[in-house]
Amino acid sequence: AVIKQLSDKVGVGNAFDETLVKKFESNIGKKDSLEAFINMAYEKANRNLRSNQRVSTAAVIVAGGWIEGLYLASQVTASAVQSDKNIDVYKRIWNQLYSFKYVMELLGHYKNNADCAQMIKDLGDVDQLAKEFERNSTVVQADIAKISEKITPLRNQIVN
């Protein structure tokens, strides 16, 4: 419901039609299927935005996806002790933080667009955090609270 609401706000609601939502619901426990459906919806939205010369909106969507990905990963690991079973999630969190500079670079290309400028401003606190982790080669359990503290309010601001 949140994905549909947000996609409608940025004008790409058609990428998340009722058929896709039903596929999400019926495959909720199947990670690979969900990832494939998300990729399909993203590609459809991206094509729509590019064909309508709304690339700055695509940049904001990429930033929003980055925020949501980091938020979800931090929630999954918040109460789980780091172990061999979840080490891949910790690696993905580090990769997500490392890739932040590319998200900011993309937004920077469209900084004259009001939405991109606002997203750059909103990501200011996260920028410092990402730079801190860029110097490290890993994320550990103790880092998760710090990450969650920065990303959760931003994510909540966007979805509410």
Side-chain angles (χ1 to χ4, degrees):
V2 172
I3 291 171
K4 179 69 173 142
Q5 178 187 18
L6 292 173
S7 63
D8 285 342
K9 279 185 182 179
V10 295
V12 293
N14 64 339
F16 296 94
D17 58 20
E18 191 174 325
T19 303
L20 183 61
V21 171
K22 286 180 181 177
K23 286 180 180 180
F24 269 110
E25 290 171 351
S26 64
N27 288 281
I28 201 72
K30 301 174 185 167
K31 179 185 161 198
D32 292 340
S33 296
L34 292 175
E35 190 172 333
F37 297 141
I38 289 168
N39 287 336
M40 285 174 23
Y42 173 80
E43 286 302 321
K44 186 175 181 180
N46 193 36
R47 280 191 309 274
N48 177 293
L49 292 169
R50 288 186 184 280
S51 69
N52 291 310
Q53 303 204 354
R54 294 179 55 210
V55 181
S56 58
T57 303
V60 172
I61 290 171
V62 167
W66 181 90
I67 292 165
E68 186 69 8
L70 187 57
Y71 169 77
L72 290 172
S74 68
Q75 295 302 301
V76 165
T77 56
S79 60
V81 176
Q82 189 171 358
S83 69
D84 290 342
K85 290 182 180 180
N86 62 12
I87 194 68
D88 287 340
V89 177
Y90 282 85
K91 288 177 184 176
R92 284 187 182 233
I93 290 171
W94 184 88
N95 287 333
Q96 194 84 347
L97 288 164
Y98 184 80
S99 68
F100 179 73
K101 62 185 171 189
Y102 301 111
V103 172
M104 291 299 279
E105 185 179 309
L106 175 63
L107 289 167
H109 288 300
Y110 306 100
K111 64 185 173 205
N112 293 331
N113 173 280
D115 292 329
C116 289
Q118 184 62 50
M119 184 63 81
I120 290 168
K121 182 180 174 189
D122 291 345
L123 287 166
D125 285 346
V126 178
D127 190 33
Q128 280 304 115
L129 181 68
K131 285 177 182 169
E132 182 181 318
F133 284 101
E134 193 175 294
R135 291 185 292 270
N136 300 333
S137 59
T138 59
V139 171
V140 296
Q141 177 69 39
D143 298 325
I144 300 302
K146 201 182 329 183
I147 293 166
S148 186
E149 178 184 314
K150 297 288 185 193
I151 208 70
T152 299
L154 179 57
R155 186 263 186 187
N156 291 340
Q157 172 190 329
I158 291 169
V159 299
N160 291 327

